[in-house]
Structures are given as C-alpha cells and as structure tokens.
Amino acid sequence: MRFEFATATRIIFGPGSIDEVAPEAAGMGKRAFVVTGRSLERAEPLLEQLNKHEIEYVTFNVPAEPTAAIVTEAVKQARQAESDLVIGIGGGSAIDTGKVIAAMLTNTGRLQDYLEVIGLGKPITTNPAPYIAVPTTAGTGAEVTCNAVLAIPEHQVKVSIRSPLMLPRLAVVDPALTYSMPRSITASTGLDALTQLIEAYVSNKANPLTDGICLQGLKRAGRSLQKAYEDGSDAGAREDMALASLFSGLALANAKLGAVHGFAGPLGGMISAPHGVICARLLPFVCQANVRALQSREPSSPALARYDEVARISTGKVSAQAADGVEWIQNLCKALTVPPLAQFGLKEKDFPTVVTKAKKSSSMKGNPIILTDDELIKILRNSQ
Ligand code: NAD
C-alpha cells in the first residue's frame, strides 16, 4: 500500500474562530485582497478586524460561480492593489476565486494556460501568495483542496486549475458563519458534502486515512443534515455539517470522486444549475446505479461492502445493506426538496453530449465500477 495525504498548512475549527483570521493575517502580509461572495455584509466583521490589526484591504465580490473571465479581472485588481495576502470568505465560489488569485499573484502568464482539459495544464511553479480560506457554506470543503473550479462558458464546461502549491496556508472553519444559509442552500451544499464523502469512500483511490475521515463525516452528515435544514439555528447540527464539509474536502483531495462529479463538470458548464444542486439531484440515482451494477457484474467488489457501511452509518441500523442506504439518500433528497435538472434547461437531446464529456472526466475514473452508456443515460433521465 502506498498513499499520500496533503492538506492546508493549518486548519482552525470552531464557533467564533472567525476572530482569529485577522491576527493570523497580520503575520502573513500587509495588504489583503479580500474575496467575498455575493454579499459583502457577511464579510463585515472580518473587515472590522482587519482594520483593528492595521491590515489594508481591497474587496472583490464574486457574483456567481467563477468563470475564467471573473477571475482574470480579480487577478488584475489584486496586482494593481499590490496585494501580498489573499483572504477568501464565502462559499466555494469565493474560496476558489481567492485560491486562483493567490496563485496568479506570483505565477506569470495567462490564466488559461494553467487550466486543465481546455488549457495547457501549465504547472504552478512558484509558491502562491499566502491564502486564508474561510467557508460560509457547508459545503464544498474547498478550503482544504488544491484545486479551483472555473466555468468556461465558450466551451460549455467547468475545469480546474490544480497544484499542490495551491493548498491554502490557513483554513478557518467557523460553523457560526453558516447559520444564515437559507434552506435551499443548506440542502444543496450539504448534499454536495454528503456526495463528496460517499464518492471518496467508495472510490477506487480511497486510502485508510481518507476512509476514517469519510466515516466520521458520514456519521455527522447522516444525523445532522436534515436537522440543519429544518432548523438553521441548531448549533449542533450546523457544527456537524461544517465538519462534514471540511472532512469531505480532506477526503476528495486525497482520494478520487465518482460519477456524480464526473457528470457535474460538463453539466455545470451546460446548464445554469448551482453545483450543489447538480450533485444533490444526481446523488441518489448514481448510488442506485452503482449498487445495481456492482451487484450484477462485480458482486465480490469491496465497494459493495463499503456501500453497506454507508447504509449502516447513515440509517443508524446495524443490519442495513447497500440498498437501504440508497433508499435513505432518496428519502433525504425528497425531504430536502432538491429540484429536478429539467428545471434548469437540461433536455433529453443533451444526454449523449453530457455522457461523452462525463466519461472523459477524471472524477468518473474514481467511480467504483465502469457504468455503461445506458446506465449513465438512465441516471440523467431519472434526474429530470
Ligand atoms: P457558492 O459559493 O456559489 O454560494 C452559493 C450561494 O450561497 C451564493 O449566492 C452565496 O452568496 C450564498 N451564500 C454563501 N454563504 C452563505 C451564508 N452563510 N448565508 C447565506 N447565503 C450564503 O456555493 P458553494 O456550493 O459553496 O460553492 C460552489 C462552487 O464551489 C462551485 O463553483 C463548485 O464547482 C466549487 N467547488 C469547488 C471545490 C474545490 O475543491 N475547489 C469542491 C466542490 C465545489
């Protein structure tokens, strides 16, 4: 057995930990470039703290999931401001944007050249500017991953820029920042975290370290996602989901994902659905297809025993088996009212293109079994 495990240099977790960002930032730079999501309001307590610690800052607002064009503009502004430190505070969109800015502040050339799949995949060679990632959704776990996902509208696809050097210098995970998420965002981002935990656990690249992390995360998401959805002020449930999200990032960065994320790259570039919604909608159908395919074609695959374990942890029943886990996920998605993908413009005629693109994605290669085109099409049809 051989495996590697890489993560952010340091992780601080806990309610109120947002107050630790500015003192830590003071040791990393003097002029911060602060990347926020749609709302600057959520970053205001942090900006006050930066003032107190005499750190100059400029802010950049990411209005939606980042495109290469948005990030190129942000990099230009960060260079003009001569920023020597980047802080991303928001959902995965703000965190990924900040991650790329930090990398492009020290690495020259065009952003496009560094992109996987549609670019040259040029390596990041110089250490990025210090980067502090502060998630406000639970979530993507992007605060501890080494890639950032960018939409490329002209290619109708989402691709990553990735480097081990892009792991944030500091990840500060404060569950209190997630209390303000409305139900719909709690549902889609929480189901994204659950997806990442399940896919990394059953992935053919899982290792003993990611296994332990996934099982802890699954336990917490299993008992708390619906609670957080029903009562956003439930501190215990929010804390569990913040941990589940963090653990999902630790796991995905060090194991592979699977068919849900294999689909999410192309679908995210073709329809206007948020990433979390795409993952949430596909999750039950991918789990169902994987379990059925494993049972019929590879009944001795260790992945089936892993789906049994997912079922036991999520249902809390010692006798639960893979199919019970699939049913639990289906019921959870119903309770959290995840919208169908047809609502975002996905059409039956798009299925062959989605399948062709998805089969080429690196996440699809982590799926525990190779699904046939018919199985992949059926997953898309079920998600409509
Ligand atoms: P997001 O960052 O796009 O945010 C979704 C919405 O929630 C936005 O409108 C945002 O303003 C709002 N929001 C954020 N925090 C809130 C809060 N506390 N209260 C109320 N509203 C809040 O969504 P996301 O799902 O966190 O991130 C999605 C992006 O992350 C996608 O681009 C996806 O591809 C990427 N991603 C990256 C990785 C990685 O490892 N780099 C992993 C998974 C997903």
Side-chain angles (χ1 to χ4, degrees), residues 104-227:
M104 294 306 292
L105 275 176
T106 56
N107 288 270
T108 52
R110 296 175 340 133
L111 171 64
Q112 277 78 353
D113 294 343
Y114 293 92
L115 296 175
E116 292 178 347
V117 188
I118 61 132
L120 306 174
K122 187 173 152 187
I124 299 284
T125 49
T126 310
N127 268 322
Y131 180 46
I132 303 178
V134 188
T136 63
T137 60
T140 65
E143 66 276 11
V144 289
T145 66
C146 66
N147 70 306
V149 188
L150 304 182
I152 315 294
E154 57 277 27
H155 289 265
Q156 290 207 319
V157 74
K158 285 172 86 177
V159 297
S160 277
I161 165 167
R162 185 187 314 267
S163 165
L165 298 180
M166 284 168 61
L167 282 162
R169 183 78 61 88
L170 175 65
V172 176
V173 185
D174 183 342
L177 301 182
T178 66
Y179 290 5
S180 53
M181 279 194 294
R183 278 185 160 195
S184 60
I185 297 177
T186 300
S188 59
T189 58
L191 285 164
D192 186 15
L194 180 68
T195 305
Q196 293 177 166
L197 289 163
I198 295 175
E199 293 211 305
Y201 185 60
V202 301
S203 134
N204 51 33
K205 294 280 188 290
N207 68 57
L209 192 45
T210 57
D211 284 351
I213 288 168
C214 286
L215 293 176
Q216 261 298 321
L218 282 167
K219 187 170 107 185
R220 289 167 193 280
R223 72 185 178 203
S224 290
L225 177 48
Q226 194 161 343
K227 277 193 194 162

Side-chain angles (χ1 to χ4, degrees), residues 201-320:
Y201 185 60
V202 301
S203 134
N204 51 33
K205 294 280 188 290
N207 68 57
L209 192 45
T210 57
D211 284 351
I213 288 168
C214 286
L215 293 176
Q216 261 298 321
L218 282 167
K219 187 170 107 185
R220 289 167 193 280
R223 72 185 178 203
S224 290
L225 177 48
Q226 194 161 343
K227 277 193 194 162
Y229 174 81
E230 283 164 2
D231 176 7
S233 64
D234 182 329
R238 289 296 198 190
E239 181 166 294
D240 265 353
M241 286 313 299
L243 275 172
S245 169
L246 170 65
F247 289 2
S248 77
L250 294 171
L252 87 88
N254 293 285
K256 275 214 180 285
L257 288 166
V260 173
H261 281 83
F263 275 130
L267 277 175
M270 291 170 72
I271 59 173
S272 60
H275 174 78
V277 170
I278 293 175
C279 293
R281 185 65 186 164
L282 292 169
L283 176 66
F285 306 117
V286 166
C287 287
Q288 185 180 52
N290 277 348
V291 169
R292 283 186 183 160
L294 286 163
Q295 283 169 339
S296 75
R297 297 201 289 279
E298 295 180 24
S300 57
S301 163
L304 264 181
R306 286 175 174 260
Y307 272 114
D308 288 341
E309 185 66 21
V310 170
R312 281 192 287 274
I313 291 182
S314 49
T315 63
K317 292 185 188 141
V318 283
S319 59

